[in-house]
Amino acid sequence: MQCKICNKKAIYDGFCQEHFLEAFEQKVKQTIEEFSLVAPDEKVVVAASGGKDSLTTLYLLKKLGYQVEALAIDEGIHGYREHTLADLRRFCDQYAIPLRIVRFVDEFGITLDEITQRLNLIPCTPCGILRRYLLNKYSKHYDKIATGHNLDDEVQAFVMNMMKNSLALVAKQGPITGIQQQAGFTPRIKPLIRCTEKEVRIYAFLKGFTLQFTECVYVQESFRNKVRDWLNALEQEHPGTKQQLLENLFLLLPTLKKHYQKQAVPLQQCTRCGEPTTGTLCAACLLRQQLDEVKKK
Amino acid sequence: MKVIFEKEQETKTLSFSGKVKDLLHQLHINPETVVVVRNGMIIPEDELVQDNDEITLLSVISGG
């Protein structure tokens, strides 16, 4: 098959290598413009893991001329995180991007591996709570936090939230997360939201981003894994399924966000750490309280 | 044909000539989940591969 733009051989989606790269970058640029994700004078920090999505986000935001830095969270997941952080350090050195790494063990005195052993929770739950806490804590002097969430991530979350009967969580999805801007929270943006995971992988390969294949050691335990497999099976039989789900999500979001804005609970300061929360203690401090109680036993 | 599986860090030798999409079907691999590389270049699903080729299957899915 030939490239739909030139006569060279197509490698994916009817594009040759050169025009695939061009189309991918143009898609990201248009997404940023369409949803006003970040203004030229704003400082952006990328929540970076060292995987293909965050490296692509870092690379493109820098290429497009934004003031960008990287923030990585080291949960202490042995056999996984040390490898991705090595890739990230190398990448940030190569492209002269400032990088800060924040570790669970320094902030909370414990790694995720240890939390998993002590508490009877699926690891993704405490991991998500504590990662979000640290991303928020260390992003306050930036205008935006960019994540590498791609189309597959967004559609998987949409399906998961619908299955769990949580429209309130769906309302928080989209190119800019959250229902409304709130003091104490840096807005989060997803520049890759229109790009499929396969497109990101191809882009990272063509640009020569050096990545070891890595997958979180806890991933087999996740519900998301099952949803991902199901959606990929559907996409194989019915191409365009994932894209259509995303477009329908975008259509729903304005109504959902408006609806849930009316029900938004005013934030107050966590009595333990001072971070914004709807309750007395934030989710991270509630978790820390659970860990303290386990330690006493 | 030598097939290198990036995710599993395995290499298999098998006999195959035909289109990439048929190779993936034979291996029970969903094309959504891999990028196929030969001689350092990405090849599309309709590409013909030969029995003496070395193919690498890069995993699309990564991370946590």
Side-chain angles (χ1 to χ4, degrees):
Chain A
M1 188 193 288
Q2 277 186 324
C3 174
K4 48 189 157 190
I5 296 176
C6 69
N7 290 327
K8 290 185 190 159
K9 191 169 89 170
I11 59 156
Y12 184 73
D13 197 25
F15 289 116
C16 67
Q17 179 170 314
E18 178 196 342
H19 288 116
F20 172 86
L21 289 172
E22 211 171 89
F24 184 94
E25 292 180 4
Q26 187 59 22
K27 188 167 11 182
V28 173
K29 185 168 182 276
Q30 279 174 344
T31 300
I32 292 171
E33 288 168 3
E34 180 184 351
F35 297 106
S36 302
L37 295 186
V38 56
D41 59 343
E42 287 186 312
K43 274 186 77 177
V44 188
V45 65
V46 175
S49 63
K52 64 183 188 306
D53 303 294
S54 58
L55 295 194
T56 298
T57 305
L58 275 168
Y59 177 82
L60 280 175
L61 285 176
K62 177 140 190 184
K63 182 171 178 174
L64 291 170
Y66 295 102
Q67 304 173 61
V68 62
E69 296 180 7
L71 173 62
I73 310 294
D74 181 358
E75 312 90 341
I77 302 173
H78 183 66
Y80 169 56
R81 190 49 79 206
E82 65 267 31
H83 304 301
T84 69
L85 287 179
D87 289 336
L88 179 61
R89 283 192 187 94
R90 203 166 28 241
F91 181 90
C92 287
D93 282 344
Q94 183 180 353
Y95 291 100
I97 295 173
L99 165 65
R100 181 176 195 169
I101 300 175
V102 179
R103 304 193 314 158
F104 269 27
V105 70
D106 295 331
E107 294 288 322
F108 310 117
I110 192 169
T111 65
L112 184 72
D113 288 344
E114 289 163 345
I115 292 173
T116 306
Q117 285 158 19
R118 290 192 201 172
L119 298 180
N120 187 23
L121 291 170
I122 295 170
C124 306
T125 302
C127 185
I129 289 170
L130 297 178
R131 283 176 57 85
R132 281 190 291 274
Y133 174 87
L134 290 177
L135 282 174
N136 194 57
K137 181 178 174 184
Y138 286 97
S139 65
K140 293 199 196 297
H141 56 290
Y142 297 96
D143 297 297
K144 298 280 166 58
I145 304 175
T147 62
H149 289 98
N150 55 54
L151 185 151
D152 286 64
D153 295 320
E154 193 71 2
V155 165
Q156 287 158 24
F158 180 34
V159 168
M160 287 163 68
N161 288 333
M162 292 297 281
M163 285 182 173
K164 290 180 180 177
N165 194 27
S166 182
L167 278 181
L169 287 180
V170 177
K172 292 183 180 180
Q173 289 190 244
I176 304 177
T177 57
I179 298 168
Q180 57 192 0
Q181 263 200 277
Q182 292 176 314
F185 283 113
T186 307
R188 293 188 193 190
I189 62 171
K190 299 171 191 163
L192 302 188
I193 197 169
R194 284 198 184 279
C195 304
T196 65
E197 191 163 22
K198 184 160 180 171
E199 286 171 340
V200 179
R201 186 67 181 93
I202 292 172
Y203 185 84
F205 176 83
L206 294 176
K207 297 304 286 186
F209 299 157
T210 308
L211 308 165
Q212 305 177 51
F213 169 77
T214 50
E215 194 169 48
C216 180
V217 299
Y218 296 115
V219 77
Q220 293 304 322
E221 302 178 38
S222 73
F223 177 47
R224 179 180 284 272
N225 215 37
K226 295 184 170 67
V227 170
R228 170 186 280 149
D229 290 345
W230 177 65
L231 283 169
N232 279 335
L234 273 175
E235 184 71 27
Q236 190 182 8
E237 295 292 320
H238 304 280
T241 296
K242 290 191 270 190
Q243 184 68 47
Q244 202 51 56
L245 277 168
L246 186 79
E247 295 307 325
N248 283 319
L249 170 63
F250 285 176
L251 285 174
L252 283 171
L253 279 174
T255 305
L256 282 177
K257 286 187 191 285
K258 196 172 168 183
H259 172 77
Y260 282 99
Q261 271 169 17
K262 295 175 193 165
Q263 301 177 11
V265 176
L267 294 175
Q268 45 198 333
Q269 281 188 315
C270 171
T271 53
R272 183 166 168 169
C273 71
E275 289 294 310
T277 178
T278 53
T280 312
L281 287 175
C282 70
C285 287
L286 275 170
L287 189 62
R288 286 200 268 200
Q289 197 172 61
Q290 272 185 283
L291 285 165
D292 290 342
E293 282 161 16
V294 167
K295 265 192 220 172
K296 285 177 196 167
K297 289 182 186 168
Chain B
M1 170 181 287
K2 193 168 155 188
V3 181
I4 301 165
F5 297 80
E6 181 199 36
K7 179 179 176 178
E8 293 82 1
Q9 296 184 30
E10 281 176 7
T11 301
K12 287 187 184 171
T13 304
L14 51 99
S15 181
F16 182 87
S17 286
K19 290 188 179 179
V20 165
K21 64 180 175 188
D22 296 323
L23 170 64
L24 295 178
H25 182 73
Q26 184 171 305
L27 294 170
H28 305 291
I29 292 174
N30 185 333
E32 285 292 299
T33 65
V34 292
V35 174
V36 183
V37 173
R38 179 180 60 189
N39 298 330
M41 308 279 286
I42 293 175
I43 53 174
E45 284 180 46
D46 63 353
E47 182 83 357
L48 285 170
V49 290
Q50 308 299 327
D51 206 37
N52 59 352
D53 280 335
E54 181 177 293
I55 303 292
T56 303
L57 302 182
L58 302 179
S59 180
V60 164
I61 299 164
S62 62

